[in-house]
Amino acid sequence: KNQVEQSPQSLIILEGKNCTLQCNYTVSPFSNLRWYKQDTGRGPVSLTIMTFSENTKSNGRYTATLDADTKQSSLHITASQLSDSASYICVVILQTGANNLFFGTGTRLTVIP
Amino acid sequence: NAGVMQNPRHLVRRRGQEARLRCSPMKGHSHVYWYRQLPEEGLKFMVYLQKENIIDESGMPKERFSAEFPKEGPSILRIQQVVRGDSAAYFCASSPSGTNEKLFFGSGTQLSVL
């Protein structure tokens, strides 16, 4: 069982629509959680970083939420654009250790015109 | 300020050959991390290096794989006697100091073993 689980695995939406991606994690002790966007054939690019005390953080049309009690996070994309088509990866970082990043397998988002 | 540079972007090797993957971190970054990504899977940690030192190689197979980050030049991930199962995307990331800093990823090297 993955320690960072994302859902849905893939999602297709119409341009202009909103969508929400989910991330549940079991790893601890938690330090922070990040959402990355990975375009096909490229490396991941950071969208948001959330610490234990933060419930919500926005970056343009991206809004991430975090509930550290239930160990859940979501990424909400508003007014989707074709360029939003990518994989969105949830990464949980623990407080200690060099190998302290746990990656989800990502949600593959496709925005169609 | 160039980002993390990886080369080659694509590398094709026959079984038994050696693969060398290079990573130049962002300017001013002394911490380098290598990850492997298989299709439909998340990135898996392989090794964490600082200049001239391997800090954590717990994610790297004990045989055939090695990594270095010399005082001068890029970090190198070396895979000897490649097998088909080594086919994957290999990503390098760098940070100025430690994993709690925002990581910057390269575009990866896609290794294909025939």
Side-chain angles (χ1 to χ4, degrees):
Chain A
K1 182 175 169 62
N2 288 332
Q3 294 166 301
V4 179
E5 293 209 340
Q6 293 187 241
S7 61
Q9 196 170 29
S10 62
L11 183 61
I12 300 174
I13 62 173
L14 290 173
E15 185 180 10
K17 296 297 185 183
N18 305 335
C19 66
T20 300
L21 316 180
Q22 300 290 343
C23 175
N24 298 334
Y25 61 94
T26 58
V27 292
S28 64
F30 174 89
S31 173
N32 60 81
L33 183 146
R34 305 174 190 182
W35 283 93
Y36 282 85
K37 178 186 179 187
Q38 185 177 19
D39 292 309
T40 302
R42 311 293 293 183
V45 175
S46 180
L47 293 175
T48 64
I49 300 175
M50 301 186 71
T51 60
F52 186 89
S53 59
E54 294 176 305
N55 297 120
T56 183
K57 182 172 279 189
S58 292
N59 177 6
R61 293 180 298 102
Y62 301 104
T63 299
T65 65
L66 173 65
D67 185 335
D69 291 330
T70 61
K71 298 185 176 180
Q72 295 180 325
S73 176
S74 67
L75 181 69
H76 186 74
I77 304 175
T78 305
S80 60
Q81 300 175 358
L82 298 178
S83 59
D84 292 333
S85 296
S87 287
Y88 291 83
I89 303 171
C90 174
V91 184
V92 177
I93 295 91
L94 301 187
Q95 293 176 6
T96 57
N99 179 17
N100 63 342
L101 272 70
F102 289 81
F103 289 79
T105 55
T107 291
R108 178 71 207 173
L109 175 65
T110 303
V111 181
I112 58 175
Chain B
N1 183 17
V4 178
M5 304 299 292
Q6 289 188 249
N7 66 81
R9 288 297 311 277
H10 298 91
L11 182 61
V12 179
R13 285 287 178 266
R14 295 189 182 280
R15 281 179 296 171
Q17 291 184 319
E18 179 180 286
R20 279 181 180 246
L21 288 63
R22 288 177 289 278
C23 169
S24 296
M26 286 185 69
K27 188 176 180 181
H29 288 193
S30 58
H31 299 245
V32 165
Y33 308 81
W34 285 93
Y35 295 89
R36 178 163 61 179
Q37 186 177 37
L38 295 170
E40 309 303 323
E41 292 189 15
L43 279 80
K44 296 287 196 298
F45 169 80
M46 297 184 74
V47 61
Y48 163 39
L49 309 102
Q50 288 181 265
K51 281 287 188 182
E52 300 184 273
N53 290 307
I54 296 175
I55 307 302
D56 183 345
E57 56 183 348
S58 59
M60 200 156 65
K62 295 283 188 289
E63 299 180 353
R64 303 189 298 108
F65 285 72
S66 62
E68 63 177 14
F69 189 15
K71 187 177 180 181
E72 300 292 336
S75 175
I76 307 287
L77 179 66
R78 182 183 177 205
I79 311 173
Q80 296 178 287
Q81 299 174 321
V82 295
V83 301
R84 289 229 173 96
D86 297 332
S87 296
Y90 292 84
F91 288 96
C92 167
S94 74
S95 74
S97 60
T99 57
N100 284 327
E101 295 285 336
K102 192 164 74 169
L103 282 182
F104 294 83
F105 283 84
S107 295
T109 293
Q110 180 64 52
L111 173 65
S112 298
V113 180
L114 304 179

